[in-house]
Amino acid sequence: MARFLRLASASADTWHRNTDCDYSSAYVSLYTSSDLVGHGMTFTIGRGNDIVCQAIKEVANRLVGKEVESLFANMGKAWEYLVADSQLRWIGPEKGVIHIATGAVDNALWDLYAKSRKKPLWKLVVDMTPEELVGSATFRYITDAITPEEALAMLKAKEATKAEREAKVRELGYPAYVTSAGWLGYSDEKVARLTKEAVQAGFNHFKMKVGADRANDLRRGKIIRSIIDDPQYLPDGLAPRDPNGPELQGKNAGPTGAVLMIDANQVWDVKEAIDYVTSLKEIKPWFCRFIEEPTAPDDILGHAAIRKALKPHGIGVATGEHAHNRMVFKQLLQAEAIDVCQIDSCRLAGVSEVISVLLMAAKFGVPVCPHAGGVGLCEYVIHLSLIDYIAVSGTMERNVLEFVDHLHEHFLNPCTINSRGRYNVPNNSLEGYSIEMHKASIAEFEWPNGSYWAKVQGQS
């Protein structure tokens, strides 16, 4: 069953490429002959969501009648089966609406798997043997970048120390960065207030949107820098971090160890991106990301050119929020086009493809900082980052994870942040992939017949 949920409390962001955001979710439930149910979703910003719902129904129909344990036995092969419908591939292949829909279905299947084993999804995956984890990924079209044998060797090298990393992240939490302070359209006073609140909440990485107006960007960036670089705003008892420490090297950290990140929303051509971002170097940004991206998401060589030009200025490049499959990430890594790999849990086709990208990024030594700016994405990506840290890359300080503070109230197991500005580790044995929504939220916001929309339409 695929549902179109259109949530009323959309972000206040006024993106210059996404100027009409209407936060929505295509939500799917996979039912079994038992009481076990798996839930998945993909995030959109409004119109088009009904098209995704229809595509989800087509993809999910391939699972009808399948025995779940046979699917769980090899999730990599289950994923390949989902993408193997020749007629559906024709309107992809492995990109666009069909790929987004496949992500929702694959995520629901993983949710089902984790719930059947009574583990949060991240724990299900990190408890796998290296062989099982390799078998859960897909290597089709990427063996020129990483082979299953190479991946197996990498995972085996990390196997003996997984328990140590798991204990550490359970104690400390997973490092996060905050987006909410730097939306376009906010007044200077609001930017300053939200930045101070984020510093007090323990955050050390801060992101702002750029690209609409250079002078405005510099002014806003200086406001944020003036706060995050000033020790007086730090929470009581928290000492400044060492800007030259190992977790902050190469990030243009200020005197308190704070990092400013900038988000360009695909707004520039290549040369324009180079010139514009170079002009912002006085606010010491770490990287230009995507949707934070400096140029078109599919322009591999354009990103490589931007990265090469910005490197002398100490500014890196990140992208991936709209990278629609593992092959795009493969090329970005092979072309040395990015400093940061930014996966999206709903743009890629589910957990199995995400694992493939995590493995490639680890081989190329590129940190993974997932995008999480929409409905349910924070709930999703904490699982993915924990898998990366504990089982794949073995590092988390450079793999900082996005956090936004809206729409968590719709989920049974919302993500939470601790006083250090870090994600808490999901620990409910029944939450699976943490994406199950409250029935009341579905009843209220399902489009177009939910009670909220009935009321709105009655008032119009």
Side-chain angles (χ1 to χ4, degrees):
M1 177 185 297
R3 293 184 171 98
F4 178 171
L5 303 179
R6 182 178 168 195
L7 301 179
S9 51
S11 165
D13 186 23
T14 52
W15 294 344
H16 35 288
R17 284 297 186 205
N18 300 318
T19 57
D20 190 23
C21 295
D22 193 352
Y23 275 20
S24 304
S25 171
Y27 185 78
V28 59
S29 299
L30 299 179
Y31 296 91
T32 67
S33 56
S34 70
D35 293 335
L36 195 62
V37 182
H39 304 281
M41 56 145 280
T42 193
F43 161 68
T44 78
I45 61 170
R47 286 188 306 276
N49 208 17
D50 50 348
I51 301 172
V52 179
C53 285
Q54 186 60 45
I56 286 172
K57 292 175 183 177
E58 294 293 331
V59 174
N61 277 339
R62 290 181 64 76
L63 297 179
V64 174
K66 294 293 181 182
E67 203 278 320
V68 293
E69 288 299 330
S70 66
L71 296 169
F72 298 160
N74 193 315
M75 290 293 280
K77 287 192 180 301
W79 186 90
E80 290 176 358
Y81 173 75
L82 281 175
V83 302
D85 184 305
S86 60
Q87 295 181 19
L88 294 181
R89 281 184 66 81
W90 186 258
I91 56 174
E94 297 187 41
K95 56 181 175 283
V97 172
I98 287 295
H99 208 57
I100 292 172
T102 303
V105 176
D106 186 66
N107 286 340
L109 187 61
W110 276 97
D111 181 61
L112 196 70
Y113 186 12
K115 287 175 177 174
S116 76
R117 301 305 191 259
K118 293 183 170 52
K119 293 181 179 182
L121 177 94
W122 71 268
K123 183 62 172 167
L124 170 78
V125 177
V126 303
D127 283 351
M128 290 179 173
T129 66
E131 290 81 4
E132 289 171 331
L133 187 46
V134 168
S136 296
T138 176
F139 289 89
R140 190 179 189 187
Y141 304 138
I142 64 170
T143 54
D144 55 325
I146 189 169
T147 65
E149 293 76 20
E150 288 176 309
L152 184 61
M154 287 169 46
L155 294 173
K156 284 185 174 180
K158 296 287 191 299
E159 176 77 1
T161 51
K162 284 198 304 185
E164 177 184 332
R165 286 190 294 278
E166 180 177 332
K168 181 178 179 180
V169 74
R170 283 184 181 276
E171 177 188 358
L172 298 178
Y174 195 93
Y177 73 85
V178 65
T179 298
S180 304
W183 299 123
L184 290 172
Y186 283 177
S187 68
D188 291 354
E189 292 75 18
K190 187 170 184 178
V191 169
R193 175 176 60 80
L194 292 175
T195 301
K196 291 174 184 177
E197 290 175 0
V199 172
Q200 279 292 308
F203 287 99
N204 187 54
H205 291 64
F206 309 82
K207 188 178 76 179
M208 61 174 278
K209 305 282 185 176
V210 299
D213 179 86
R214 194 188 314 258
N216 185 51
D217 291 341
L218 281 170
R219 187 188 73 257
R220 291 165 55 246
K222 289 176 181 178
I223 291 170
I224 294 174
R225 270 288 176 200
S226 71
I227 295 166
I228 66 178
D229 289 347
D230 191 335
Q232 72 167 307
Y233 296 112
L234 293 174
D236 292 341
L238 182 64
R241 296 169 174 88
D242 179 4
N244 298 311
E247 73 277 10
L248 294 174
Q249 287 179 359
K251 291 186 177 181
N252 280 337
T256 66
V259 176
L260 179 61
M261 300 145 71
I262 58 176
D263 176 348
N265 289 109
Q266 318 161 38
V267 71
W268 303 305
D269 281 356
V270 172
K271 187 178 184 304
E272 187 182 12
I274 295 167
D275 293 342
Y276 198 110
V277 177
T278 301
S279 74
L280 299 179
K281 64 183 180 179
E282 66 179 286
I283 60 173
K284 297 195 297 182
W286 174 24
F287 52 70
C288 221
R289 302 169 45 105
F290 177 47
I291 294 185
E292 288 111 289
E293 204 167 39
T295 192
D298 300 334
D299 190 351
I300 310 299
L301 298 182
H303 279 90
I306 293 168
R307 180 176 184 258
K308 182 178 180 180
L310 294 181
K311 191 171 184 179
H313 302 288
I315 300 172
V317 171
T319 196
E321 179 182 335
H322 279 74
H324 44 257
N325 57 41
R326 65 204 177 281
M327 290 77 80
V328 173
F329 282 107
K330 178 188 74 170
Q331 294 173 74
L332 288 165
L333 293 164
Q334 289 174 326
E336 299 182 350
I338 52 174
D339 298 275
V340 175
C341 174
Q342 188 190 25
I343 60 172
D344 184 282
S345 58
C346 295
R347 180 72 56 179
L348 291 174
V351 175
S352 289
E353 190 171 36
V354 166
I355 292 172
S356 301
V357 176
L358 295 179
L359 290 166
M360 284 193 292
K363 178 186 173 181
F364 282 82
V366 173
V368 179
C369 300
H371 165 248
V375 183
L377 300 189
C378 294
E379 280 69 27
Y380 264 156
V381 295
I382 179 56
H383 291 268
L384 304 177
S385 289
L386 289 170
I387 292 166
D388 180 61
Y389 169 55
I390 297 170
V392 182
S393 72
T395 178
M396 67 171 167
E397 290 301 340
R398 294 188 59 76
N399 300 50
V400 63
L401 174 57
E402 184 173 19
F403 175 76
V404 293
D405 58 1
H406 57 266
L407 300 172
H408 303 296
E409 68 274 13
H410 297 293
F411 296 93
L412 269 65
N413 296 283
C415 66
T416 58
I417 296 291
N418 66 25
S419 62
R420 305 181 187 93
R422 291 173 174 251
Y423 276 85
N424 291 310
V425 172
N427 203 35
N428 183 340
S429 63
L430 301 178
E431 70 181 278
Y433 204 179
S434 303
I435 210 66
E436 182 173 356
M437 285 188 164
H438 289 288
K439 292 179 180 179
S441 290
I442 295 173
E444 185 173 4
F445 292 108
E446 186 171 7
W447 176 262
N449 298 316
S451 60
Y452 177 89
W453 300 112
K455 180 179 178 181
V456 169
Q457 291 163 4
Q459 294 173 345
S460 62

